[in-house]
Amino acid sequence: MAPAPSSRESVTAPVIRAYARYGRQADTWLQGYAARGGRVYCGAGCAACCNMPIRVSLAEALVTAQSITADQRQGMAAHAAAVIANARSAPSDEVYVQRHRTGVGFCPLLDRATGSCTAYDVRPTRCRDTFSAFPAVYCAVGTLESMSPRQRREYHRDVARTPGTDGEWHFIAPLEHLSEPVWTAAARAMQETWGVQVWGDFWVLTTLAGHEPFMRAIEAGHARQAWDAARRLDLAHQDVLEIG
C-alpha cells in the first residue's frame, strides 16, 4: 500500500496538476491565436517583466520552495526582506509597485546574463500566464510612465485594435483568464487540508515555506501562531502576507 500523502503534498499536488492543465490549454490557445494572425512577443531571454511584484498562494510558493537550491533560498530571503521594507514605507500601491520594480529589482531566480528563469518548471501562476502582444520594451519599467499624453493615447488606441488584449493594456487577457483554475485549486487544497488559506508576495511566501515553525503552525491551522512565526522572521506585513 502506498503511503498517505503528507499535508504539503496534498496541497502542492493539485497545483502541479493545474499547472500542467494550464500549459496544455495555453498552448492550444496560442496555436489558434497565431493561426488568426496574432503575435506573442514573449520568448527565451525576455525578462522585462521579471521585476514586477507577484501575488501567489502558499501552495504555489511551496512548489517553488521545495525545488530550489540553498543559494537560491538565500537570494529569495534577501529579496523578501527588501519587499517588506518597501511595503512598510511605500505611501501608496502605485509607489509600492514602482519601487519594487526600480529598487527591489529583478527576481533572484532570474539569470541576468541569459534572461532565463533558473526555476522555470516551478514558477508561479503569474509568471506562467503573463504574455505580451507588444514588444518587450512596453513591459519594461519606465516605458509607459514616460509616455507623453499623445503617446499614451496612441498606445491605448493600438491596444484596443490588437486582438487578445483587454482593450486597455498590452497583456493577453485570455491567457490570464485560463489560469484562474490554478488559483481555485490552490485555495481549495489549502482550505481542505489546513483549514486556512495563505496568500501574499511570492518571495515572502517562498521564504516562509522553508521555515518549519511557520509551516507547522499553518499545517495545524493556527493562523495566529503562523503570523507570529512570520513576525519573528520580520516577514509579517498585512500588505504582503494574508492568513485566514
Side-chain angles (χ1 to χ4, degrees):
M1 179 180 297
S6 69
S7 163
R8 298 176 200 186
E9 289 172 334
S10 295
V11 166
T12 57
V15 171
I16 292 170
R17 290 194 296 270
Y19 281 164
R21 183 166 56 250
Y22 172 75
R24 294 190 297 269
Q25 293 174 337
D27 285 347
T28 298
W29 190 92
L30 286 166
Q31 290 170 13
Y33 185 61
R36 297 189 298 273
R39 180 174 178 183
V40 175
Y41 284 83
C42 308
C46 178
C49 65
C50 294
N51 55 6
M52 293 181 178
I54 303 172
R55 184 175 185 270
V56 303
S57 64
L58 180 57
E60 295 168 84
L62 266 172
V63 173
T64 303
Q66 291 171 347
S67 298
I68 59 178
T69 67
D71 286 345
Q72 288 173 320
R73 285 194 291 272
Q74 289 182 358
M76 296 293 275
H79 211 72
V83 166
I84 290 291
N86 185 27
R88 287 175 176 160
S89 59
S92 67
D93 290 344
E94 181 177 311
V95 172
Y96 172 82
V97 172
Q98 183 70 11
R99 291 201 319 206
H100 185 102
R101 301 199 71 186
T102 59
V104 178
F106 285 92
C107 177
L109 298 178
L110 174 69
D111 183 334
R112 295 296 302 279
T114 64
S116 61
C117 177
T118 62
Y120 188 79
D121 290 340
V122 291
R123 69 199 189 281
T125 303
R126 190 85 296 170
C127 298
R128 295 170 187 265
D129 71 0
T130 299
F131 291 84
S132 176
F134 279 29
V137 65
Y138 288 94
C139 301
V141 62
T143 298
L144 299 181
E145 295 86 349
S146 64
M147 286 181 177
S148 68
R150 177 182 176 182
Q151 289 172 325
R152 187 169 285 271
R153 287 193 298 272
E154 291 174 348
Y155 163 80
H156 286 298
R157 184 177 64 246
D158 290 342
V159 168
R161 294 172 175 171
T162 303
T165 71
D166 64 0
E168 184 176 4
W169 305 107
H170 62 279
F171 298 106
I172 297 178
L175 291 169
E176 295 181 1
H177 299 327
L178 277 176
S179 72
E180 290 173 3
V182 179
W183 284 341
T184 300
R188 182 181 299 116
M190 290 188 293
Q191 191 65 47
E192 292 178 352
T193 304
W194 298 330
V196 295
Q197 294 186 37
V198 187
W199 299 83
D201 174 81
F202 172 51
W203 300 277
V204 169
L205 288 193
T206 302
T207 301
L208 289 173
H211 184 59
E212 282 305 309
F214 176 83
M215 286 305 306
R216 285 196 297 269
I218 289 297
E219 289 179 295
H222 296 156
R224 182 72 256 177
Q225 291 181 17
W227 182 268
D228 289 342
R231 181 175 50 79
R232 287 191 291 272
L233 281 182
D234 206 19
L235 291 179
H237 190 282
Q238 65 273 13
D239 291 341
V240 296
L241 176 61
E242 306 162 25
I243 308 173

